[in-house]
Amino acid sequence: MTSSYKSIPVLTEDTVYSSWKKEIAFWKHATNVDPTKRAHTVILAMTGKPRTVAVQLNPETLAVEGGLELLVKEMDKLFLKDNTQQLFCAIDAFEKFKR
């Protein structure tokens, strides 16, 4: 398997959070990154507000087998939107889509 560092799903201020979360679920099963380092690897790939929020978490807390899941739970608290807001964002993204 090739290095998975290049294919990390990146969370930015413009990323649809629910899409990023699905990509992370696939990535964690396909990556060869040590499970105790996955959360740190994902955080270092983030930019903007998501990274600002994530780096405030305790690195030692995330340095465990389930660290990535802990990171996602913390990010959910800030970025997971209710169903109505998710629907609006999906429609908005669709309308802005360009070939």
Side-chain angles (χ1 to χ4, degrees):
M1 182 184 287
T2 61
S3 176
S4 298
Y5 289 100
K6 296 179 184 176
S7 59
I8 301 166
V10 178
L11 181 60
T12 69
E13 293 176 14
D14 298 325
T15 305
V16 175
Y17 182 74
S18 59
S19 296
W20 174 82
K21 194 171 170 180
K22 286 180 185 177
E23 290 177 20
I24 285 293
F26 285 108
W27 178 81
K28 80 176 187 178
H29 293 291
T31 188
N32 59 0
V33 175
D34 180 343
T36 63
K37 297 179 181 178
R38 289 179 184 171
H40 302 93
T41 303
V42 170
I43 290 170
L44 292 173
M46 292 177 179
T47 62
K49 183 179 177 183
R51 185 174 182 152
T52 302
V53 170
V55 296
Q56 294 177 26
L57 300 172
N58 183 340
E60 299 303 319
T61 303
L62 299 175
V64 295
E65 286 262 343
L68 182 59
E69 290 77 12
L70 292 172
L71 172 64
V72 171
K73 283 182 183 178
E74 288 300 315
M75 300 307 279
D76 281 352
K77 292 177 185 177
L78 296 170
F79 297 103
L80 190 63
K81 301 170 184 168
D82 65 32
N83 289 335
T84 304
Q85 202 170 12
Q86 283 180 340
L87 180 60
F88 175 77
C89 289
I91 292 169
D92 189 48
F94 178 75
E95 289 177 346
K96 290 180 180 177
F97 181 76
K98 295 180 182 177
R99 279 183 161 222

